[in-house]
Amino acid sequence: MAEQINSQKLIELYELMVRIRFHEEAIKVLFTQGKIGGTTHLCIGQEAIPAGVIAQLRPDDFVSSTHRGHGHMLAKGGELKPMLAEILGRIDGYCKGKGGSMHIASITLGNLGANGIVSGGLPIAVGSGLSAKMRGTDQITVVSFGDGAANEGNTHESMNLASAWQLPVLFLFENNGYAVSTHTSISMGGSMEKRAAGYDLPYIKVDGMDLEAVHIAAKEAITHVRSGKGPYLMQCDTYRYEGHYYGDPMVYRTKEEIDSWREKDPIKHVESIMVERGILTKEKYQKIKEDIQTEVNEAVAFAEASPQPPIESMFEDVYTEWQP
């Protein structure tokens, strides 16, 4: 029989996936109400990846994320209230309202930051990996990147250096099929597997909609990296149900395509597994969802009640202070 996640762990990861999903759904409402400045990029549909990979990390490990990074932050130990406060630009947020949706970070949690620059997180991860190696720890860094970043120079330079210096970095390729509105079939030459071979990186590709497949593959990859054997490249094929940003008209893909991926919904897949294995009944997992929805509602209320940062705080927490 294929390896399975034990019952208690499966429930924990299911709860995390639901928390990520409901968090993102709450953001949709807040954005529609005009309460979020700028734009926001949702990871609805991709929840199995942060739950399957990031949730396995130790507290002292590091994550370098992307503009679609809310799930990574929650999986690394982020809490709903400061998450939503940050996304609303409020003072009780993780970055005191200065990071917003695309730049949430928490050094305490080991999250080196979401990143609004496509591929911008990869060089940061290489620096983090070099730091761990120089300090002689067994900490690892997981860096997420998408199919748009896959074709950026930063990505290739980072993989090359991590391989040459045998750094403890897990490159996590979240392939959701589209770089904004451009499908990988016309934007990506060759394959990630061939690129990995070019940099002597061990490589694995898994179904990113299948939590167990992601978790089991990540366990092997994390063990490899932590043992000092150098970097690893893991590809998770997945799909974002929303557009590149929330409000994207999505004219570049069909309803039939979206519906076909919705049939593979990672949360519904776990629900069917738990019922099939006698882990939870439908009534019990529905209760879990109701409780998490309550948590999210309370976090939204907390975030909306949090004050705006005072104008003078714009000169705090910066590298160089402006002098009039």
Side-chain angles (χ1 to χ4, degrees):
M1 182 176 66
E3 185 178 352
Q4 298 178 347
I5 302 175
N6 71 63
S7 299
Q8 186 56 45
K9 176 58 68 174
L10 192 61
I11 293 172
E12 290 175 10
L13 296 179
Y14 170 74
E15 290 174 347
L16 174 58
M17 291 170 68
V18 173
R19 190 168 288 110
I20 294 170
R21 173 72 59 91
F22 287 2
H23 174 271
E24 302 293 81
E25 294 287 356
I27 291 173
K28 288 171 59 175
V29 175
L30 292 165
F31 188 85
T32 303
Q33 293 172 341
K35 295 176 179 177
I36 297 176
T39 189
T40 187
H41 306 78
L42 305 177
C43 64
I44 297 173
Q46 301 185 199
E47 297 90 350
I49 301 174
V53 182
I54 308 300
Q56 293 196 59
L57 297 180
R58 296 190 324 217
D60 64 337
D61 289 328
F62 298 100
V63 172
S64 183
S65 188
T66 71
H67 56 280
R68 202 178 308 282
H70 306 156
H72 305 142
M73 182 67 163
L74 288 169
K76 194 62 173 68
E79 297 180 3
L80 290 168
K81 290 180 178 179
M83 279 285 292
L84 285 165
E86 185 60 41
I87 290 167
L88 287 179
R90 304 303 177 90
I91 198 166
D92 292 312
Y94 275 109
C95 301
K96 302 178 185 178
K98 297 177 180 178
S101 174
M102 284 192 282
H103 295 98
I104 290 178
S106 172
I107 300 304
T108 302
L109 294 175
N111 187 333
L112 302 176
N115 204 307
I117 300 173
V118 175
S119 80
L122 285 103
I124 294 171
V126 171
S128 173
L130 178 60
S131 168
K133 185 165 186 175
M134 292 178 69
R135 289 181 290 108
T137 74
D138 65 346
Q139 295 164 289
I140 74 167
T141 300
V142 174
V143 57
S144 173
F145 65 104
D147 38 286
N151 301 318
E152 295 275 344
N154 270 342
T155 302
H156 295 269
E157 293 168 22
S158 296
M159 289 181 180
N160 175 69
L161 202 57
S163 177
W165 291 353
Q166 288 292 281
L167 302 180
V169 178
L170 170 54
F171 293 96
L172 179 60
F173 177 33
E174 297 190 58
N175 177 25
N176 62 27
Y178 289 92
V180 185
S181 58
T182 305
H183 195 268
T184 52
S185 62
I186 56 175
S187 67
M188 189 171 181
S191 67
M192 192 56 70
E193 181 176 14
K194 291 178 180 178
R195 296 179 185 187
Y199 296 118
D200 290 333
L201 298 178
Y203 167 88
I204 189 169
K205 180 167 78 169
V206 298
D207 179 358
M209 309 298 275
D210 183 335
L211 173 66
E212 281 195 314
V214 174
H215 179 89
I216 291 163
K219 182 179 179 181
E220 177 182 330
I222 289 169
T223 299
H224 171 97
V225 175
R226 198 179 302 284
S227 67
K229 295 179 181 177
Y232 198 107
L233 176 56
M234 179 176 174
Q235 175 173 341
C236 297
D237 289 340
T238 185
Y239 199 78
R240 50 170 168 81
Y241 295 155
E242 301 295 338
H244 170 65
Y245 57 91
Y246 185 59
D248 175 359
M250 297 191 287
V251 295
Y252 48 87
R253 55 186 189 177
T254 65
K255 181 179 183 299
E256 290 74 21
E257 177 184 307
I258 297 171
D259 288 345
S260 69
W261 279 93
R262 285 189 180 277
E263 292 176 3
K264 306 172 186 177
D265 188 285
I267 291 176
K268 291 181 179 177
H269 179 63
V270 175
E271 289 172 350
S272 65
I273 287 175
M274 292 192 299
V275 171
E276 180 183 315
R277 296 179 189 169
I279 297 170
L280 287 181
T281 62
K282 181 177 180 180
E283 291 72 23
K284 287 185 177 180
Y285 73 65
Q286 289 290 8
K287 180 62 167 59
I288 288 173
K289 293 168 89 168
E290 290 171 9
D291 290 344
I292 291 174
Q293 185 63 68
T294 298
E295 289 179 30
V296 172
N297 293 344
E298 291 173 352
V300 169
F302 171 87
E304 290 192 283
S306 177
Q308 297 279 355
I311 190 68
E312 58 270 18
S313 71
M314 68 186 294
F315 299 115
E316 299 172 357
D317 307 308
V318 293
Y319 288 112
T320 303
E321 184 176 347
W322 177 77
Q323 296 289 341

